[in-house]
Structure formats: structure tokens, C-alpha cells
Amino acid sequence: METLKSIIGKVATGATLTREETASAFDGLMSGHATPSQIGGLLMGLRVRGETIEEVTGAVSAVRERMPRVEVACNPINIASTSDNVAYSANVMTCASFIVAGADVPVARHANSDTSSGPSTAQLLAHLGVNVDLKPEAVARCVHEAGIGFSFASAHYPAMQRVGQIRTALGTHTILNLIGPLSNPTRVKRQIVGIFAREWVQPLAYVLKNLGAESAWVVHGSNGLGEVTLTGPTFVAALEAGTVRTFEVTPEQAGLARCDKETLESGEAKDNAVALQNVLDGVPGRFRDAAILNAAATLIVAGRVETLQEGVALAQHALDSGSAAVRLKRLIAVSNT
């Protein structure tokens, strides 16, 4: 693969790649013909030098083009997060997804099917009875009929399995951690993305702008949480009407109390499934509050509310009315038929 070799050689000199060059390189990675050495060399070369907005944009574009599309008629929202905060977040984003769907905002979530740091979204959903081994058309049917659907990177493009395995073997963040949450096969125009490092919050908002997003929040919570956190301030870059602005939000702005991150520590997938079901069944607690906070932020991005306090009120209604719980029941039914 001479083109990929030449691009790796350019990265090795410390030079930056254009959007088109990066897209070409990642098309090579996704083709399944790149060797493990080439994949590792490109990922680490970009990591050591530092990835640029144009490079991330090009990489995401290539991955999106290779992935089979999930075609939906509605305008769903994606709730995504990097995976290395799983040990603390207790699948907060997954729980928030059902709350948002319960507020009548369709959700098309894209996630990894496995993680190296804790139970995955796929494992959690499987314990709840959701069929996670679905073709794109079945995911689309879930979004249409249940108001929520989940797609998984390795399931929608098997070549990502090998690339992901090499990323795991490298043992450090790479550009794949950045492009993963953005590579939704539903081609969503609205999303909230939790990221592992504050320095990437604003750049990823510009990447989303480059990719045609209409509305987005990229968030990084205190203590390294890739979500809107109850533990302290959350740094946000919001894409609104083509403009990116940055600010901080706190639990107090939403009318919620702070807590220590240990309060939200994750257990095994089955334990997290019980915790999520408890929230949907109306059990109070810090996990419920954390999920409500992230749902509130998502409802702002969706244009349903203007403030976090309004979002909290709508999220609480989705739970207290039983609407969020119905979305899970419906997803289980639709995904298994």
C-alpha cells in the first residue's frame, strides 16, 4: 500500500496531514489490507505529534463512508462518550439515553461493543434483554418503533475490530478514541459527546462543525469524566447555529447537589443493568441524578429546552410518568422480533 506508506512517512517527519490525506489513510486502514505495523505506526505517529482538527475530520469522514448507513426518517440525537471513564460513570450516558427517548426525542446512539476499562454498553443492554446483534435496518426499526436504537462499531464494520484490537494493545489514547464517538452510522446532526481530555473539547466541536452537525455539546467533567458530571464543573464547547462557544456548567445550575465520583463507581454489567432499571422504575439516588443531568444537557442540544433546570424538569417527568421505562420495554420487544 504505497499511498499509506507515504502518508505514514510524512507523519514520521512531524508534518501534518490534510483532511484528504487523512481520509485516504483511514480508508486504507478500514479496507482490511493494512498490516498491524502500518496501523500501529500511523496511530502512534499521530498521537506523538498531536492530532489536528483537519486530521480528525478526515478520519471520521473515511470511517463514516465505510460504515453501512442506518437510514431513519426522523432527526435523532446521539449521546456518546469515550470509554475510559466507564469505571466511574456507571453507564450514566446509557441511562440518560432512555430518559431522553422518554421525553419524545428519538435517540440513535453509537457505542463500542467492548471496552478495556469496564462493562460495555452492549453488555449492559444484553443483561437488560436487548438484542445488540442487529443489522443496520433493524437498528433503524428500533429508532422508529421504540424511539431509541443502539449501533456498535465492530458490528457495523468488522474491519474496526482489528483496528480496535491494535489500539487496545498500544495502551494509550489514539485518534480512534476521538473519532469513535463521532462515527455514528445514522449520520446524526445533533449530539452530545463526552470526551476524555479537556484540551479536546473545543477542537471536537469544530470537527463536528466540519462534519455538518447542526447542534452539539462536547463535554468534559471534573475528575476526568467524559460526561456532564455531578462531581463539580463540566467544561462545554457548544456548537450553535454554526458558532462554537465555550463555558462551564455545574450541578447547582441544574438544581442538583454535587457528589464524589466514588458514589457512581461501576460494577459488573449485571449490577449496572439493575442500577439502570432501578432508575427507570423510579428509585431515587445519585445515579438517577447523574443520568437526569446528562439527559437535561441532551435536551438542550435537541432544542426541547433552553436551560438545565428546564431539562431536569422534563427528564424527571419522563421518569416519573413511566415514559422512559416504556422505551426500554419497547426496545427489548422490537430488537428481539
Side-chain angles (χ1 to χ4, degrees), residues 231-246:
T231 66
T234 296
F235 185 61
V236 182
L239 172 63
E240 304 162 332
T243 300
V244 174
R245 67 184 181 99
T246 60

Side-chain angles (χ1 to χ4, degrees), residues 283-296:
V283 177
R286 306 310 283 154
F287 184 22
R288 172 187 162 104
D289 289 348
I292 285 175
L293 179 59
N294 281 272

Side-chain angles (χ1 to χ4, degrees), residues 83 85-96 109 117-121 124 225 227 261-269 271-277 279 286-288 290-291:
S83 63
N85 67 357
V86 171
Y88 299 108
S89 66
N91 297 279
V92 164
M93 290 295 213
T94 304
C95 190
R109 189 170 176 204
S117 57
S120 69
T121 299
L124 169 66
L225 297 176
E227 63 189 44
K261 69 178 182 179
E262 288 76 13
T263 306
L264 299 172
E265 280 191 359
S266 175
E268 298 297 326
D271 300 319
N272 294 341
V274 171
L276 187 150
Q277 186 66 66
V279 171
R286 306 310 283 154
F287 184 22
R288 172 187 162 104

Side-chain angles (χ1 to χ4, degrees), residues 85 192 211 220:
N85 67 357
I192 180 168
L211 294 168
H220 175 75

Side-chain angles (χ1 to χ4, degrees), residues 51-74:
E51 302 89 348
T52 68
I53 292 173
E54 287 296 291
E55 288 168 345
V56 178
T57 301
V60 176
S61 299
V63 173
R64 284 184 173 185
E65 284 303 311
R66 283 278 185 170
M67 278 187 169
R69 288 179 180 245
V70 175
E71 301 287 356
V72 297
C74 59

